[in-house]
Structure formats: C-alpha cells, structure tokens
Amino acid sequence: EDKVVQSPLSLVVHEGDTVTLNCSYEVTNFRSLLWYKQEKKAPTFLFMLTSSGIEKKSGRLSSILDKKELFSILNITATQTGDSAVYLCAVEAGLSGGSNYKLTFGKGTLLTVNP
Amino acid sequence: DTEVTQTPKHLVMGMTNKKSLKCEQHMGHRAMYWYKQKAKKPPELMFVYSYEKLSINESVPSRFSPECPNSSLLNLHLHALQPEDSALYLCASSQGRSAGAKNIQYFGAGTRLSVL
C-alpha cells in the first residue's frame, strides 16, 4: 500500500519565521509529488516535483525533491499570517497492472502563523 | 484559468433523499475526480473518470453513483446516504494521460454535505 507521511502534523510560529515542512513517501511506480495549500475549502496547487534536486520556487515558498531518499521539503521564508493553512503533500503513483495513476495524500501539516 | 466549479456549496439531506452534486471545468481537461474529505483528514479518492469513462472506483458503496455526461461535467448522484457520509466532497480535474508525468489536479471548492 502506498504511504505518504508528513511532519510535523502541526506547527505554530511567529510572523517572519522560516518553516520547513517534511514529506516522505513509500510508493510503487512513483510519477510525481505535489504540494497543496488548503485553507477553508479547496486545496490550491503550489508545486509539482518530478526530478530530484531541482528546486521549485514561487515567491517565499520553495520545494525540493530527493528521489533517492524518498522525501520532499517545503520551505516558507518570512512567514505571514496569510500562510496559516494546512499544507498537503500528495504523491501520484501508478496502480499495478494498468495505466491508471492516483494521488495519495499525507495527513497534512497545520501551520499557524501568529502576528 | 484553473477553475473547477462545484454546486451546491452546501447540502443537507435526509437518509431517504436523492440528490446530486455537480462539477464543471472548462480547461479542456480529460480526467475528473471525486474525493471525500472528513474533518481534519486528507482527501480520499472515490472515483476517476478518464476521457469520460470510469477508470477507478475505490470500492465506493453503491449509494454513491458517479456520472460523466461530457468532458466538462461530472456528477455524483446520492441515494440512501448514512450520517457517516457527511463530509466535504471535492471535485478535481487534470489534463489526464496526455500530460504524462505533469498531470496536475486542480480542485473545486467542494460541497459540504450533511446527512441527517
């Protein structure tokens, strides 16, 4: 069974701090790893990573994948209260015996940024 | 534009009711998904449609019946639900097979369902 494990499960920081969120995985037929931010409702897409060692960056957020060690990190620098959300890591992997793929989500990291 | 629209936003139904959830996207995506999300849990996959054909059913009870009338629309028909089916139901879409490894799923805002 595919597994995605995120840590920590929750984190409280002050505005301006830098945070690192972790995601490790054990899947067969890995295709990609995605990070989403979920506030009240829809998970919103942040990054997709398919290759090891290539950092994806968007403003204060960045992410990198290590396919040898089977993990990814999401960094947020100079955190703001608007960064408060659940950050979900998901891995797309192929199902055995066919050409179908599915996303398996981790439990998420609840980030709270206090003013 | 990466918008996936879901209606209704909220739904309250009794255990004997029949209702439907709707999902629409106009991004030309050929894969559409239904997920169920309980409070403080990650989304769990229910169904996948690829090119309007059901490709994955994650052993979902038959009281949930998906339908994909065309490439832009996805419905979830609900009948004889149980209180434990109360959850946020999320729809997502992606390019599908043609995207290869770059198959990003975009999510709608969800329908919050309460079964009384």
Side-chain angles (χ1 to χ4, degrees):
Chain A
E1 188 183 326
D2 294 342
K3 269 194 229 175
V4 178
V5 178
Q6 291 187 245
S7 65
L9 291 180
S10 67
L11 191 53
V12 180
V13 299
H14 291 290
E15 263 191 321
D17 288 352
T18 292
V19 297
T20 298
L21 309 184
N22 304 294
C23 176
S24 64
Y25 60 92
E26 285 179 39
V27 304
T28 48
N29 204 4
F30 172 91
R31 189 151 85 163
S32 64
L33 184 145
L34 297 94
W35 285 97
Y36 289 88
K37 176 183 181 183
Q38 187 171 27
E39 296 175 84
K40 296 288 183 188
K41 290 206 174 170
T44 52
F45 171 73
L46 294 175
F47 297 112
M48 168 184 263
L49 301 137
T50 55
S51 303
S52 263
I54 298 176
E55 187 183 47
K56 293 282 182 97
K57 216 168 153 57
S58 175
R60 296 176 294 104
L61 277 67
S62 63
S63 183
I64 197 158
L65 174 67
D66 185 328
K67 285 170 81 171
K68 188 178 169 193
E69 300 297 329
L70 308 183
F71 77 89
S72 174
I73 59 171
L74 175 69
N75 277 321
I76 310 175
T77 58
T79 50
Q80 301 171 357
T81 54
D83 295 327
S84 297
V86 173
Y87 290 83
L88 293 164
C89 172
V91 174
E92 188 176 50
L95 300 178
S96 57
S99 57
N100 289 322
Y101 290 81
K102 63 175 269 193
L103 276 187
T104 299
F105 283 85
K107 290 185 177 179
T109 294
L110 173 61
L111 175 64
T112 303
V113 182
N114 289 325
Chain B
D1 180 17
T2 55
E3 188 167 355
V4 176
T5 304
Q6 288 189 244
T7 55
K9 289 186 172 32
H10 300 276
L11 180 62
V12 179
M13 60 187 288
M15 289 192 282
T16 57
N17 291 158
K18 281 187 186 182
K19 297 283 184 187
S20 297
L21 309 185
K22 295 187 184 304
C23 174
E24 193 166 359
Q25 56 85 16
H26 295 289
M27 296 178 275
H29 287 172
R30 302 311 299 269
M32 296 185 78
Y33 312 78
W34 281 115
Y35 288 85
K36 174 182 178 179
Q37 188 176 26
K38 299 282 265 184
K40 297 187 197 280
K41 301 278 188 191
E44 290 177 5
L45 183 66
M46 299 173 73
F47 302 104
V48 181
Y49 273 82
S50 177
Y51 290 79
E52 293 114 73
K53 288 190 171 26
L54 183 65
S55 60
I56 298 178
N57 175 344
E58 290 282 273
S59 304
V60 179
S62 60
R63 57 185 185 269
F64 295 91
S65 173
E67 179 198 17
C68 189
N70 60 55
S71 60
S72 301
L73 290 173
L74 185 66
N75 298 322
L76 186 63
H77 303 297
L78 314 172
H79 174 53
L81 293 194
Q82 305 295 310
E84 60 264 27
D85 296 321
S86 299
L88 180 67
Y89 287 84
L90 292 164
C91 173
S93 73
S94 71
Q95 263 187 275
R97 283 200 301 268
S98 62
K102 305 219 183 278
N103 190 37
I104 301 168
Q105 290 187 29
Y106 295 96
F107 285 81
T111 294
R112 190 160 298 283
L113 175 68
S114 297
V115 182
L116 305 178

